[in-house]
Amino acid sequence: FALAAEVSLGGFAEMGVVGGEVNQLNEDDNANELVDRDGQFHTDVDVDFSLSGETDGGLTFGAEVDLDSTQEGGAFVPSEGGDDSYIYVSGAYGNLSMGDTDGALDFVMKEAIIGGTIDDVNEHAGYNGNSGLDGTYDGQVARYDYSFGAFSFAASAEIDDDSDSADADLFDDFEAAIDDIEDDTVLGVGVRYEGEFGGFGFGAGLGYQQTGDSDVIGLSLDMATAGGITAILNYSDYDNVPLSVGTFDNDSDAETDQIPFNAPINDHIGLALGYEVGAILVAVNYGVYDTTAGDVTGYALTANYDLGGGAELQAGYAHADYDDINDFEDTDNYSFGIRMNF
Amino acid sequence: FALAAEVSLGGFAEMGVVGGEVNQLNEDDNANELVDRDGQFHTDVDVDFSLSGETDGGLTFGAEVDLDSTQEGGAFVPSEGGDDSYIYVSGAYGNLSMGDTDGALDFVMKEAIIGGTIDDVNEHAGYNGNSGLDGTYDGQVARYDYSFGAFSFAASAEIDDDSDSADADLFDDFEAAIDDIEDDTVLGVGVRYEGEFGGFGFGAGLGYQQTGDSDVIGLSLDMATAGGITAILNYSDYDNVPLSVGTFDNDSDAETDQIPFNAPINDHIGLALGYEVGAILVAVNYGVYDTTAGDVTGYALTANYDLGGGAELQAGYAHADYDDINDFEDTDNYSFGIRMNF
Amino acid sequence: FALAAEVSLGGFAEMGVVGGEVNQLNEDDNANELVDRDGQFHTDVDVDFSLSGETDGGLTFGAEVDLDSTQEGGAFVPSEGGDDSYIYVSGAYGNLSMGDTDGALDFVMKEAIIGGTIDDVNEHAGYNGNSGLDGTYDGQVARYDYSFGAFSFAASAEIDDDSDSADADLFDDFEAAIDDIEDDTVLGVGVRYEGEFGGFGFGAGLGYQQTGDSDVIGLSLDMATAGGITAILNYSDYDNVPLSVGTFDNDSDAETDQIPFNAPINDHIGLALGYEVGAILVAVNYGVYDTTAGDVTGYALTANYDLGGGAELQAGYAHADYDDINDFEDTDNYSFGIRMNF
């Protein structure tokens, strides 16, 4: 009675206009300065493969694979950052996922963002995707999660895959082995609750991730009223985890160079509010990283109009404030266009 | 009543033999010389994704995505030149396309080529694909087109996406803004007519593209008789647009190095004639670029035999004459094999 | 009555744990040393496109295209080695394949391996995939094969695709042309027999490949009993074909550097034995390359448990012995996990 294993296709596309401002290296005085990012056409296409099957014993299994194309150039290339596919097995005893999947912290928290924008402009400099310590090593995350009633529990690990002669005698000395795991492995745990009380939905998630002397603890609260109002609150406390802003390529294409900074995060607060009525959604999201070098703050306004059939008009505006760290000035960016889901 | 958004698959494959001659850098005397390109196996595979949907209001929308594999090595890689996907919205008020789509000039002209050949050998050095100024910047073209009866109208733009501090006050000075657009944007317009008169088909297209002090104007005429004869004529006049011939990699693989030339085009003439009877098509296409350095001329002979079901035998022969510019000698190339459409 | 040309999808995924030992360059004393490869998560995903059609005359044609993702990073990228797609035409007069397809030697021999393992750990250093001289040039192989009754015959060629001025007068001198083909082309022939005698299956293959003064001759024998026992024996004799072990990247990521060796092979022996009962398969495979520098030997133990629906649990262990060539020490590696076929 097993279902036939099969491969199905999905994806999305977006086209529109993006523009605004960006901090960029001025090579003459070797400092960042604010330059205009001319309004320009933007397209983005993504094709997804869903592989799925079921064993004779009733376990479901499968993989999700993502081919995507971004940027103004329109080229269709698989992304190169190892952020593309994961594999899962699922049954009565829970779900096991491996690959580019969320760690336990990210799994139990709901991001403080509502609605969509072309080129993700609402993911401003103060936005936190709650990925925590995911990607510390090779991005190959294994997560086990299990739901019972309104509660979900998750545990995750990401292993340092470098050969390491100090690990050669992993099983010789139990204490040393535990130290190795603490130093070399990202471990995460989390719990989530989701309930509904007469049309009022409520969710809460609490997660923790640790490796070596770095750790993150995050709390997420979210609620939705029957009247179309949604609110999400995130708070995360960090130890020995830096916030990196800016990129320095040092190559011939100096257009995108910036003098970056890399400052330890104290904590992060995120807040999102949305209101949906008929085909219209309006939302605002706000976030601030408190770092040892200063605050990195951002907010975005989002408006979506559902055209039906998977298509949606999307407009977004975002503002970011870098507290003048490394001369990063405030930036404003916008986008509008059409998003299509397949 | 909206159609379900969906993703469908298509593609093509070709296998055969290619060979001939190529001009190549001789490092001993630092000049181009003619060398043999041994007869060799050739395969090419392409997979296409068609994403399509319809809004509640009856707009159709979608994207076309192309994964392709070329060259003798048989590797299957997405192309890297940003020539892979475009996105569209289509309705009663016309069609809007963005991404790797034809500019208005290319859209209204019919290329002077008939029939297909393995490895596109009939696209010889004198052939003009009528891409005009498309690809001047990032290849991200936006085109609006609209048809009424036998007429189609198209307008297109491609924006310079480099950050440009001179543009920072784009809206402060209307005159300066117009100058910026002229300098930084490829604009195109075109019109096309297609009619049929008692089994005799006739088409004509006239297009124009401009950026800065460069422009192209092109005229295309085509006709088809009930007896299977097709003829296509192209004429294009260029200002400040170079023809680039040859590549110089300057890397360890000197096999493909040439001393290139880059000469302003005066005009281009293209002509194609074809005759189809039953499963057989024979065709010839000819083209000449008149440049300030000399004429680059080519012609090709094409024979196709339709096997049915999407498969076709294809044979081609092409000759190119470079007027001895940079010691480029005349080349002859051929291919034959089977082409499959899926 | 031709079938509609179509594109269908398949693929596989595997997730599990891999670990063991690897020989690695120690930069302090510039010698290889054995280091631990920590137990780590492993995922691998592959998506396949099958393009197929049929001509009006009843020829079937098509292409097989492979997109795959390997390694711990989880990135989904097409492989770059030209090992991804081939194209075929098939009819009453035999089959013609071109692209990344087996040469005649590989086509007629059955590899000495039974069962599957995560990350292919059972393909140890002594294992021979029987690819012979395939890939000597650009990996673009053309193979013709034809079956009559229990016998199959195959012939294959792979052409040197470098431009070669010595070939310029290929047809001027018949003797020289033959020499060129011998020097520049990999040619292969092979024959295979497969029969069944009262539940006892027997197969035998004999193949030969040659280019210049290099050649390989290979014999393969295999049998399967009604009681679930399978045995495979391979013997190959080599002339002027090296075995390459080890990689030296000389880049910043010294993790994978080794001092390699490259020694002419005298011969190779491969043996595999398997026993299948119900959902369980256990197997062992062994192989040894006798080279002028010493023997490279390996064996592997494989256990599979079929979960149904395309999913299978797989465990493997492999041992390799390099005869201390270049200080390569013996290695042990293992993997276990789940393999899914779609």
Side-chain angles (χ1 to χ4, degrees):
Chain A
F1 56 92
L3 296 176
E6 61 171 15
V7 181
S8 60
L9 286 167
F12 72 81
E14 59 186 35
M15 72 170 172
V17 174
V18 299
E21 297 161 330
V22 66
N23 286 285
Q24 188 175 295
L25 172 63
N26 183 327
E27 290 185 322
D28 293 335
D29 59 4
N30 203 36
N32 292 316
E33 65 167 7
L34 195 68
V35 298
D36 261 39
R37 182 179 170 222
D38 291 358
Q40 58 195 262
F41 302 131
H42 171 89
T43 58
D44 191 346
V45 183
D46 180 285
V47 175
D48 300 315
F49 301 86
S50 289
L51 293 68
S52 61
E54 184 178 336
T55 69
D56 293 344
L59 283 172
T60 55
F61 60 86
E64 298 291 325
V65 178
D66 186 357
L67 280 180
D68 60 286
S69 159
T70 47
Q71 301 317 315
E72 290 72 27
F76 189 77
V77 291
S79 37
E80 296 178 5
D83 305 276
D84 285 293
S85 67
Y86 69 91
I87 298 168
Y88 64 87
V89 175
S90 187
Y93 297 103
N95 312 303
L96 177 64
S97 305
M98 199 181 288
D100 175 45
T101 193
D102 288 344
L105 178 75
D106 204 350
F107 183 75
V108 300
M109 291 183 74
K110 190 180 178 84
E111 280 85 359
I113 197 165
I114 296 170
T117 54
I118 302 299
D119 204 21
D120 294 331
V121 295
N122 57 346
E123 297 186 4
H124 49 69
Y127 171 71
N128 186 353
N130 296 334
S131 59
L133 298 168
D134 290 351
T136 300
Y137 301 119
D138 60 357
Q140 190 81 337
V141 173
R143 186 190 70 241
Y144 168 80
D145 56 84
Y146 180 70
S147 296
F148 44 104
F151 288 90
S152 303
F153 168 81
S156 66
E158 180 183 353
I159 298 177
D160 180 7
D161 65 336
D162 284 342
S163 292
D164 186 355
S165 44
D167 282 353
D169 302 307
L170 188 65
F171 295 105
D172 288 3
D173 179 334
F174 188 74
E175 203 170 329
I178 296 297
D179 286 351
D180 277 344
I181 290 173
E182 278 186 9
D183 287 347
D184 272 6
T185 304
V186 176
L187 295 173
V189 290
V191 63
R192 179 163 180 81
Y193 170 84
E194 287 192 353
E196 196 164 333
F197 309 94
F200 179 87
F202 174 75
L206 180 66
Y208 174 77
Q209 264 188 328
Q210 180 268 346
T211 186
D213 57 355
S214 301
D215 62 62
V216 189
I217 187 163
L219 174 69
S220 143
L221 300 172
D222 60 275
M223 48 141 279
T225 72
I229 293 174
T230 306
I232 306 168
L233 175 68
N234 282 187
Y235 175 78
S236 302
D237 184 82
Y238 290 81
D239 280 313
N240 294 307
V241 180
L243 177 69
S244 298
V245 174
T247 57
F248 189 74
D249 290 337
N250 202 20
D251 62 11
S252 57
D253 177 16
E255 289 291 335
T256 58
D257 277 4
Q258 301 168 316
I259 299 180
F261 66 86
N262 205 344
I265 309 169
N266 294 318
D267 57 39
H268 176 267
I269 294 172
L271 181 66
L273 273 169
Y275 177 59
E276 193 166 6
V277 53
I280 296 174
L281 168 73
V282 289
V284 57
N285 66 306
Y286 166 86
V288 55
Y289 282 99
D290 175 3
T291 80
T292 58
D295 286 356
V296 176
T297 313
Y299 66 83
L301 307 175
T302 300
N304 293 168
Y305 182 83
D306 188 355
L307 299 169
E312 189 171 71
L313 296 178
Q314 298 186 335
Y317 160 79
H319 179 86
D321 177 348
Y322 300 89
D323 238 2
D324 282 326
I325 311 174
N326 267 26
D327 299 322
F328 271 78
E329 292 184 49
D330 289 17
T331 60
D332 294 286
N333 282 282
Y334 66 87
S335 71
F336 56 87
I338 185 168
R339 161 93 180 195
M340 311 158 180
N341 290 309
F342 302 94
Chain B
F1 58 91
L3 297 175
E6 60 171 15
V7 181
S8 61
L9 286 167
F12 72 81
E14 58 186 35
M15 73 170 170
V17 174
V18 299
E21 297 161 330
V22 66
N23 285 284
Q24 189 174 295
L25 173 63
N26 183 328
E27 290 185 322
D28 293 335
D29 57 5
N30 201 37
N32 293 315
E33 65 166 8
L34 194 68
V35 297
D36 261 39
R37 183 177 169 224
D38 291 358
Q40 57 193 264
F41 301 132
H42 172 89
T43 58
D44 191 345
V45 183
D46 181 287
V47 175
D48 300 315
F49 301 87
S50 290
L51 294 67
S52 61
E54 185 178 336
T55 70
D56 292 344
L59 283 172
T60 55
F61 60 85
E64 297 291 326
V65 178
D66 186 358
L67 279 180
D68 59 287
S69 160
T70 48
Q71 301 318 314
E72 289 70 29
F76 188 77
V77 291
S79 37
E80 296 179 3
D83 305 276
D84 284 293
S85 66
Y86 69 90
I87 298 168
Y88 64 88
V89 175
S90 188
Y93 298 102
N95 313 304
L96 178 64
S97 304
M98 199 180 287
D100 175 45
T101 193
D102 288 344
L105 178 75
D106 203 351
F107 182 74
V108 300
M109 292 183 73
K110 189 179 178 82
E111 280 85 0
I113 197 166
I114 296 168
T117 53
I118 301 298
D119 204 19
D120 295 331
V121 295
N122 56 346
E123 297 186 4
H124 48 69
Y127 171 72
N128 186 353
N130 296 334
S131 59
L133 298 168
D134 290 352
T136 298
Y137 301 119
D138 60 357
Q140 190 80 338
V141 173
R143 186 189 71 241
Y144 167 79
D145 56 85
Y146 180 70
S147 297
F148 45 104
F151 287 89
S152 302
F153 168 82
S156 65
E158 180 183 353
I159 299 177
D160 180 7
D161 64 335
D162 284 343
S163 292
D164 185 356
S165 43
D167 281 353
D169 302 309
L170 187 65
F171 296 105
D172 287 2
D173 181 333
F174 188 74
E175 203 170 331
I178 296 296
D179 285 351
D180 277 345
I181 290 172
E182 278 187 10
D183 287 348
D184 272 6
T185 305
V186 177
L187 295 174
V189 290
V191 63
R192 179 163 179 81
Y193 170 84
E194 287 192 353
E196 196 165 332
F197 310 94
F200 179 88
F202 174 74
L206 180 66
Y208 174 76
Q209 263 188 328
Q210 180 269 346
T211 187
D213 57 356
S214 301
D215 63 61
V216 189
I217 186 163
L219 172 69
S220 142
L221 301 173
D222 61 274
M223 46 140 281
T225 71
I229 293 173
T230 305
I232 306 168
L233 174 68
N234 281 188
Y235 175 78
S236 302
D237 184 83
Y238 290 81
D239 280 313
N240 294 307
V241 180
L243 176 70
S244 298
V245 174
T247 56
F248 189 75
D249 291 337
N250 202 18
D251 61 11
S252 58
D253 177 15
E255 290 291 336
T256 59
D257 277 3
Q258 301 167 316
I259 298 181
F261 66 86
N262 204 344
I265 308 170
N266 296 317
D267 57 39
H268 176 267
I269 294 171
L271 180 67
L273 273 169
Y275 176 59
E276 194 166 6
V277 53
I280 296 173
L281 169 72
V282 289
V284 57
N285 68 306
Y286 166 85
V288 54
Y289 283 99
D290 174 3
T291 81
T292 58
D295 286 356
V296 175
T297 313
Y299 65 84
L301 307 175
T302 300
N304 292 169
Y305 183 84
D306 188 355
L307 298 169
E312 189 171 72
L313 296 178
Q314 298 185 334
Y317 160 78
H319 178 85
D321 177 348
Y322 300 88
D323 237 3
D324 282 327
I325 311 174
N326 267 26
D327 300 321
F328 271 78
E329 292 183 49
D330 289 17
T331 60
D332 294 286
N333 282 282
Y334 66 87
S335 73
F336 55 87
I338 184 167
R339 160 92 181 198
M340 310 158 181
N341 290 308
F342 301 95
Chain C
F1 55 92
L3 296 176
E6 61 171 14
V7 181
S8 61
L9 287 167
F12 72 82
E14 57 186 37
M15 73 170 169
V17 174
V18 298
E21 298 161 329
V22 65
N23 286 286
Q24 189 174 296
L25 172 64
N26 183 328
E27 290 184 321
D28 293 335
D29 59 4
N30 201 36
N32 292 316
E33 65 165 8
L34 195 68
V35 298
D36 262 39
R37 181 178 170 222
D38 291 357
Q40 58 194 265
F41 301 131
H42 172 90
T43 58
D44 191 346
V45 183
D46 180 287
V47 174
D48 300 314
F49 301 87
S50 289
L51 293 69
S52 60
E54 184 177 336
T55 70
D56 292 344
L59 283 172
T60 54
F61 60 85
E64 298 290 325
V65 177
D66 186 358
L67 280 179
D68 59 288
S69 161
T70 47
Q71 301 317 313
E72 289 71 28
F76 188 76
V77 291
S79 37
E80 296 179 4
D83 305 274
D84 285 292
S85 67
Y86 70 89
I87 298 168
Y88 64 88
V89 175
S90 187
Y93 297 102
N95 312 303
L96 177 65
S97 304
M98 200 180 286
D100 176 44
T101 192
D102 288 344
L105 177 76
D106 204 350
F107 182 74
V108 300
M109 290 183 73
K110 189 179 178 86
E111 280 85 0
I113 196 166
I114 296 169
T117 54
I118 301 299
D119 204 20
D120 294 331
V121 295
N122 57 346
E123 298 186 3
H124 48 70
Y127 171 71
N128 186 353
N130 295 335
S131 59
L133 298 168
D134 290 352
T136 299
Y137 301 117
D138 59 358
Q140 190 80 337
V141 173
R143 186 189 70 241
Y144 167 79
D145 57 82
Y146 180 69
S147 296
F148 44 106
F151 287 90
S152 303
F153 167 82
S156 65
E158 181 183 353
I159 299 177
D160 181 7
D161 65 335
D162 285 342
S163 293
D164 186 356
S165 43
D167 282 354
D169 302 307
L170 187 65
F171 296 105
D172 286 2
D173 180 334
F174 188 74
E175 204 171 328
I178 296 296
D179 285 353
D180 277 344
I181 290 172
E182 278 185 10
D183 287 348
D184 271 6
T185 306
V186 176
L187 296 173
V189 289
V191 62
R192 179 163 179 82
Y193 170 84
E194 287 193 354
E196 195 165 333
F197 309 93
F200 179 89
F202 174 74
L206 179 67
Y208 174 76
Q209 264 189 328
Q210 179 269 346
T211 187
D213 57 354
S214 300
D215 63 61
V216 188
I217 186 163
L219 172 70
S220 143
L221 300 172
D222 60 275
M223 47 142 279
T225 72
I229 293 173
T230 306
I232 306 168
L233 175 68
N234 282 188
Y235 175 79
S236 301
D237 184 82
Y238 290 81
D239 280 313
N240 294 307
V241 179
L243 177 70
S244 297
V245 174
T247 57
F248 189 75
D249 291 337
N250 201 17
D251 61 11
S252 58
D253 177 14
E255 290 291 335
T256 58
D257 277 3
Q258 300 168 316
I259 299 180
F261 65 87
N262 204 343
I265 309 170
N266 295 317
D267 57 39
H268 176 268
I269 294 171
L271 180 66
L273 273 169
Y275 177 60
E276 193 167 6
V277 53
I280 296 173
L281 168 73
V282 289
V284 57
N285 67 306
Y286 166 86
V288 54
Y289 282 99
D290 175 2
T291 80
T292 58
D295 286 355
V296 175
T297 313
Y299 65 84
L301 308 175
T302 300
N304 293 169
Y305 182 84
D306 187 355
L307 297 169
E312 188 172 72
L313 296 177
Q314 298 185 334
Y317 161 78
H319 179 85
D321 177 348
Y322 300 88
D323 238 3
D324 281 327
I325 310 174
N326 268 24
D327 298 321
F328 271 79
E329 292 183 49
D330 289 17
T331 60
D332 295 286
N333 282 282
Y334 65 87
S335 72
F336 56 88
I338 184 168
R339 159 94 181 197
M340 311 159 180
N341 290 308
F342 303 94

